[in-house]
Amino acid sequence: MSVLRGDITLCRVDAIVNAANGALKRGGGVDGAIHRAAGPDLQRELDGIGGCPTGECRISGAYGLPASRLIHCVGPVWRGGSAGEDEALAGCYRSALLLADRHGLATIAFPAISTGIYGFPPDRAARIAVDTVLDTLSGLPGIAEVRFVCFDEATAGLYRELLGA
Ligand code: ADP
């Protein structure tokens, strides 16, 4: 696992993870950046999929991005912490890794799902991300690299602390 500060749309990995919404419709934040870089064909493919429940993910082509595939995770909206948000966020990371593995994608980049517009506390989200990835990776020898790509320095610092990096 590694931490990188920057723009996930520039990452050369097998799978770039998106923080999508349940309707799989173009939104803001990292989703907006991914759609901008991918071009309109991405939305056309996602319209064919229809939608995705919270805590789960769907796979698509990567179009204009330098990856093989995109994995669209629907993170939880923060509602105070007792509405199943932790479990849903863990579900995103776990299901994305399982899906990547099933498609033979060995390197994967995650943004800090739910910590922007969806309001999940970044420190709590980072802990769940690292714990879930660690836990899930032990059963997936085909996944060679997981990169946490943070847009801001404060979030990158949280991950570095957790990873001792
Ligand atoms: P959500 O709706 O799941 O909260 P956001 O896109 O609003 O998703 O925010 C999730 C995280 O992604 C935030 O930490 C935000 O700063 C970050 N982010 C926004 N744009 C990018 C980008 N281009 N690359 C990586 N991370 C990004």
Side-chain angles (χ1 to χ4, degrees):
M1 287 189 283
S2 59
V3 187
L4 198 82
R5 187 184 166 202
D7 181 350
I8 202 167
T9 65
L10 304 175
C11 278
R12 293 187 177 279
V13 284
D14 296 332
I16 291 176
V17 175
N18 183 17
N21 54 62
L24 299 180
K25 293 289 185 198
R26 180 183 183 144
V30 68
D31 185 56
I34 284 175
H35 275 268
R36 204 156 42 243
D41 286 343
L42 172 60
Q43 188 61 63
R44 272 191 278 280
E45 182 179 356
L46 294 177
D47 286 345
I49 297 171
C52 175
T54 300
E56 296 184 20
C57 60
R58 297 291 182 265
I59 195 163
S60 78
Y63 301 96
L65 283 99
S68 301
R69 311 297 290 274
L70 301 177
I71 295 178
H72 306 267
C73 287
V74 180
V77 174
W78 181 254
R79 294 199 165 85
S82 42
E85 295 95 325
D86 290 353
E87 295 75 13
L89 188 63
C92 287
Y93 286 93
R94 190 180 317 112
S95 62
L97 290 172
L98 291 169
L99 192 58
D101 186 63
R102 225 183 309 139
H103 285 264
L105 304 165
T107 58
I108 178 164
F110 281 101
I113 300 168
S114 282
T115 66
I117 298 158
Y118 281 5
F120 205 113
D123 52 341
R124 183 159 165 162
R127 211 170 331 111
I128 291 168
V130 170
D131 285 352
T132 306
V133 168
L134 257 180
D135 197 51
T136 310
L137 275 187
S138 60
L140 300 175
I143 305 274
E145 190 196 342
V146 174
R147 213 179 281 175
F148 296 106
V149 183
C150 307
F151 211 43
D152 58 274
E153 186 49 42
T155 304
L158 291 170
Y159 279 93
R160 281 196 206 104
E161 208 169 296
L162 287 165
L163 295 176

